[in-house]
Amino acid sequence: MKVYGMLTVEELRKQVETGDIDTVIVVFTDLYGRFMGKRFDAEFFLEDAVENGTHCCDYLVTVDMEMEPVSGYEYTNWERGYGDFHLVPDFNTLRKVSWLERSAMVLCDVRENETHELTEVAPRSMLRKQVDSANELGFTAKAGSELEYFIFQNSFQDAAENGYTQLKPAGWYVEDYHSLQGTREEHFNGAVRRHLRDSGIPVENSKGEAALGQHELNVRYAEVLTMADRHALYKQCLKEVADQQEISVTFMAKYKDGQPGSSCHIHLSLWENDKNAFPGNLTEGPIKCSETFRWFLGGWIKYMPELMVFYAPTINSYKRYEAKSWAPTRMAWCHDNRTAGFRVVGQGPSLRIECRIPGADCNPYLVYTAAMASGLDGIRNKTEPPPIFEGDVYSAEELPEVPKSLREALVLFEQSEFAKTTFGNAVHQHYIHFYRTEVEAFESAVTDWELKRYFERI
């Protein structure tokens, strides 16, 4: 299948010579999943950065949402002077960016200046390590992200200036699979489908979702690192196209009381010798599967609570987990059952595990890192999954619940020997500090909820 929009360095050079491209955006993702980097004059990029890459301040893996460097990290800090790390372009990601004028983009691996080793706390480095672990076991992982988002008629600037209190959804009734409402939003969704397609991200479809102004756009599955890259680019595309149209989108897990949240269902399968390793002769309910499938699923479920911070990384993430909301509240796996955290779908070559726990606010590199690490450990240790569940998971009080807050999830992560052993102590401590900072920032803030509740009546 031809993937439109992808470029080799020579193809980039030709388009620079003709004037079709004059800017190359060089980026990596920070701990939140945001793109950070530089815009290069395309000629200088070809002359210098193709061979040498570029450098960025290493404080970018220690900043908070406001871009303030947070004290207390061991990796880099004021005492160490916040030096540089090296951004090395991954030319497998070089593409034309169709939604920006005369622009190309390349994603980078982050490496240490002196050793040239991957920076171990960088999210893409962490996923690369799990890809290597899968390869050592003889597997390639294939993945797909299903992202949901809300569309608003307000521009991002207007929304911010009004304190996000007067948001006007693009739709005025529930539009789940609804073609008429989808037509009303096609000026945006159609534009981003075409831009993604023309920028090296093959698209399957888009559809209305279960709330006012909520939509989902699905891109084709790929090897897991490529899928994480596509996921990050997808979010960037939608935000920038919304900005151009003077509207806005949000990938918050739960933007408003009384509305469903926005999920990021992730699909994973392991492949061996170009064949899906999950189908087999074993029977689990209606599923015909292999031991590889069972052990991968067993490990994934076992370590979900301990790595929950990677699936639900913000204070807001946990507001999404409500019964009867399409978001899972309990740990269970089922066949084609949307009340479960783990839903097994497909059959034969398409057999895969869908995890419905992550929200749209997840960092794709971290969520796939957690899933891969857990599942591969399950294979190594032949971890048995719990029995397949049938029925309404929401009402099954005997099943364990997902963690209910970032603080609760953080405690489990702090205490996790699996996380410490798998990612290394330095990485474990780095992310403990990152999520602790997020918790403390919220707990020290005065919210609108408090003002409305207590200002007059307390």
Side-chain angles (χ1 to χ4, degrees):
M1 180 187 72
K2 179 175 177 56
V3 178
Y4 297 97
M6 301 304 293
L7 299 170
T8 64
V9 173
E10 284 308 309
E11 288 169 339
L12 173 64
R13 193 180 305 277
K14 291 177 182 177
Q15 294 204 35
V16 172
E17 289 173 355
T18 61
D20 292 326
I21 293 176
D22 60 24
T23 301
V24 180
I25 306 165
V26 179
V27 295
F28 74 102
T29 53
D30 71 356
L31 275 57
Y32 290 102
R34 303 175 296 183
F35 279 153
M36 301 288 161
K38 303 177 180 179
R39 277 175 157 79
F40 276 77
D41 174 84
E43 291 184 357
F44 182 75
F45 177 83
L46 290 167
E47 291 170 9
D48 185 85
V50 163
E51 182 176 350
N52 300 318
T54 190
H55 295 81
C56 282
C57 180
D58 61 15
Y59 95 126
L60 289 170
V61 291
T62 72
V63 295
D64 64 12
M65 191 65 77
E66 305 302 328
M67 298 300 295
E68 291 291 335
V70 176
S71 298
Y73 285 102
E74 180 63 27
Y75 172 73
T76 188
N77 47 54
W78 290 113
E79 289 73 21
R80 295 189 176 191
Y82 288 116
D84 277 352
F85 48 39
H86 191 193
L87 300 190
V88 179
D90 178 349
F91 289 107
N92 291 319
T93 72
L94 181 63
R95 69 193 69 227
K96 188 168 184 177
V97 183
S98 80
W99 66 90
L100 298 176
E101 188 177 2
R102 296 193 302 277
S103 295
M105 180 182 285
V106 67
L107 277 61
C108 295
D109 288 309
V110 183
R111 294 185 177 271
E112 296 302 311
N113 265 342
E114 295 183 2
T115 66
H116 303 292
E117 296 292 323
L118 287 169
T119 297
E120 59 181 357
V121 301
R124 200 170 193 263
S125 303
M126 294 171 66
L127 182 52
R128 272 202 180 277
K129 180 179 177 181
Q130 296 308 316
V131 169
D132 291 343
S133 294
N135 294 162
E136 289 168 6
L137 293 173
F139 297 114
T140 297
K142 296 191 178 183
S145 297
E146 291 184 337
L147 273 164
E148 297 169 353
Y149 50 92
F150 281 84
I151 311 168
F152 301 99
Q153 297 181 39
N154 319 70
S155 71
F156 280 117
Q157 184 172 355
D158 287 344
E161 289 176 352
N162 287 306
Y164 304 99
T165 61
Q166 299 178 38
L167 296 173
K168 188 174 182 180
W172 51 93
Y173 50 77
V174 172
E175 59 187 78
D176 200 17
Y177 293 95
H178 204 289
S179 184
L180 175 58
Q181 190 61 46
T183 298
R184 291 175 176 138
E185 297 165 356
E186 185 67 359
H187 64 93
F188 176 71
N189 293 314
V192 295
R193 284 200 314 273
R194 290 184 284 274
H195 282 309
L196 290 169
R197 177 201 64 196
D198 294 343
S199 303
I201 304 175
V203 171
E204 291 186 355
N205 54 58
S206 62
K207 61 174 282 291
E209 268 296 332
L212 308 186
Q214 190 182 33
H215 225 78
E216 174 181 293
L217 190 156
N218 293 322
V219 301
R220 298 194 187 186
Y221 76 94
E223 292 191 9
V224 66
L225 182 63
T226 299
M227 189 65 236
D229 292 338
R230 289 178 177 179
H231 179 140
L233 285 156
Y234 169 125
K235 290 181 72 173
Q236 190 78 1
C237 172
L238 268 64
K239 290 179 181 180
E240 292 183 347
V241 172
D243 219 22
Q244 292 166 5
Q245 293 192 7
E246 297 186 342
I247 60 175
S248 56
V249 295
T250 187
F251 293 94
M252 285 181 68
K254 182 86 167 180
Y255 101 90
K256 185 178 181 181
D257 295 346
Q259 291 286 309
S262 288
S263 67
C264 172
H265 303 151
I266 61 169
H267 295 244
L268 266 176
S269 58
L270 295 183
W271 291 63
E272 190 175 23
N273 300 321
D274 295 323
K275 292 184 178 179
N276 189 343
F278 280 0
N281 297 321
L282 302 177
T283 300
E284 289 279 1
I287 302 164
K288 299 294 184 182
C289 61
S290 65
E291 292 284 26
T292 297
F293 167 88
R294 295 182 70 259
W295 294 334
F296 189 89
L297 177 63
W300 197 352
I301 294 172
K302 177 180 178 180
Y303 292 113
M304 171 63 71
E306 295 177 37
L307 303 185
M308 187 71 178
V309 291
F310 288 163
Y311 298 90
T314 72
I315 293 291
N316 180 255
S317 302
Y318 298 82
K319 307 295 176 68
R320 176 173 152 262
Y321 303 121
E322 294 181 323
K324 317 296 183 185
S325 69
W326 304 106
T329 59
R330 297 181 183 276
M331 296 291 179
W333 75 281
C334 301
H335 175 255
D336 196 13
N337 182 335
R338 286 181 168 86
T339 70
F342 292 86
R343 172 179 175 244
V344 177
V345 292
Q347 57 184 332
S350 67
L351 183 64
R352 61 198 185 276
I353 303 167
E354 176 191 40
C355 180
R356 299 173 63 82
I357 292 174
D361 55 352
C362 69
N363 180 327
Y365 300 97
L366 297 180
V367 81
Y368 283 123
T369 292
M372 291 282 291
S374 303
L376 294 175
D377 184 86
I379 292 173
R380 294 188 195 96
N381 293 291
K382 300 182 178 180
T383 303
E384 292 289 328
I388 188 171
F389 186 88
E390 294 183 4
D392 180 6
V393 177
Y394 289 128
S395 60
E397 296 183 1
E398 72 277 13
L399 293 174
E401 293 182 303
V402 300
K404 293 183 176 180
S405 69
L406 184 57
R407 176 170 284 284
E408 180 182 337
L410 177 57
V411 170
L412 294 172
F413 185 68
E414 288 175 325
Q415 296 172 348
S416 175
E417 285 299 319
F418 175 73
K420 182 178 179 180
T421 301
T422 301
F423 307 127
N425 185 62
V427 173
H428 187 218
Q429 290 299 317
H430 192 89
Y431 280 89
I432 287 172
H433 191 59
F434 174 67
Y435 293 116
R436 184 181 294 149
T437 298
E438 198 75 5
V439 170
E440 291 174 353
F442 175 74
E443 291 183 348
S444 64
V446 176
T447 67
D448 288 348
W449 184 90
E450 292 166 278
L451 286 169
K452 292 174 183 176
R453 189 173 185 88
Y454 301 128
F455 185 87
E456 177 183 345
R457 292 175 287 179
I458 194 69

